[in-house]
Amino acid sequence: MTTGVVLNGNDSDNQIDATVRLAHEASEAGLRSAWFGQTVGVDSPQLAAIVGREVPGLQVGTSAIPVFGRHPLLVSSQAQTAQAATHGRYHLGLALGTKHLTETGFGIPFERPIARLREFLTALRQLTETGHADFHGELLTATTALPARVPGAEAGVPLLVAAMGPQALRASGELADGILPYLAGPRALAEHIVPAVTAAAEAAGRPAPRIVALVSGVVTDDAHAVREKATERLAFYEQIPSYARVIELSGGRRAADVAVIGDEARVAAEVQRYRDAGATEVVFSGTEIAGDRDRRRTWDLLGSLAG
């Protein structure tokens, strides 16, 4: 089973340099993948390309780029460039985003998100697999007067979606290679998420989807204090309906209720629960909240579980 981490070098003088240093540490700990969130700051595909060049042992991925405010032609260019730079080790994660951030940040209406996701994935796969597109949808048009293939990029960048709701899971199973659920505990995965996306993939004649479970967690001896920090940090997600729903389906009330916090034995047992629930890969985020010592403990444990 692959294990990985979300790298966060935000609190530094140079985010790129700090992230590369963290990536070297993660690789040395035995971790197999590093993932990068997309904000309005650093460009995550560029960051993934840089890290992938600097740390050849790591798979690198974006988790995740919202489809609102982007176009498949531009995202394909970013993804193929990152894949060529890393010699096939880049994985592209997409997301619907949120109504609030879409409408306040981009000034565009958050309308028909599932339809937009379907059209985006359809056009994007044409571009990444063939270097050409001739797509005319209701919401998007993507055509190529010139080839859009990046030399050195393998055909078919892996496409993953941060999907957790029924409609998004259906679209992802039919059109993507897997999903990136976050704050979805083992119960939600086993009972709702994995069956839905797997059934959609089977019905579409596609291979079994990858389930890259993004888990907020850390190894620590001070679980109470770290959980308090996690409660404060993760409270934002409780205001977003899709996250609130999946937290409830996981048996939690607050987002921090599904965080994995404790000593090595407890965290290892929880990682196994995710695997039993259908996760093909487990990626930890938020490991920095407990400090460098506990972050390293967390990474060492996850590295030992990578095989």
Side-chain angles (χ1 to χ4, degrees), residues 161-165 169 179-195 211-217 234 237 242-252 254-260 270-271 273-275 277-279 281-285:
V161 181
M164 294 185 291
L169 289 169
I179 57 171
L180 294 155
Y182 179 49
L183 296 179
R187 183 193 301 179
L189 283 177
E191 297 179 3
H192 301 277
I193 292 174
V194 174
I211 313 294
V212 184
L214 295 169
V215 180
S216 180
L234 298 174
Y237 294 97
S242 59
Y243 287 106
R245 175 181 176 273
V246 79
I247 291 166
E248 182 178 359
L249 291 174
S250 301
R254 304 291 306 273
D257 293 340
V258 296
V260 175
E270 288 298 305
V271 170
R273 288 186 65 215
Y274 276 91
R275 184 177 186 180
E281 299 151 65
V282 176
V283 176
F284 267 43
S285 70

Side-chain angles (χ1 to χ4, degrees), residues 12 17 40 44 47 52 58 65 71 73 78 85 109 111 143-144 152 165 168 173 183 211 215 242 251-252 260 286 302:
S12 59
D17 292 343
V40 293
S44 57
L47 183 58
L58 283 177
I65 298 175
H71 191 278
L73 282 167
Q78 290 178 294
E111 295 175 348
T143 63
T144 47
L183 296 179
I211 313 294
V215 180
S242 59
V260 175
L302 293 174

Side-chain angles (χ1 to χ4, degrees), residues 145-162:
L146 297 171
R149 163 67 63 214
V150 174
E154 297 179 5
V157 177
L159 303 181
L160 307 168
V161 181

Side-chain angles (χ1 to χ4, degrees), residues 4 23 31 42 96 133 152 162 174 294 296:
L31 291 159
V42 70
L96 292 175
E174 294 172 4
D294 284 347
R296 293 191 185 98

Side-chain angles (χ1 to χ4, degrees), residues 40-63:
V40 293
V42 70
D43 180 74
S44 57
Q46 278 196 75
L47 183 58
I50 293 167
V51 169
R53 296 283 284 191
E54 294 281 342
V55 191
L58 283 177
Q59 302 284 320
V60 291
T62 296
S63 178

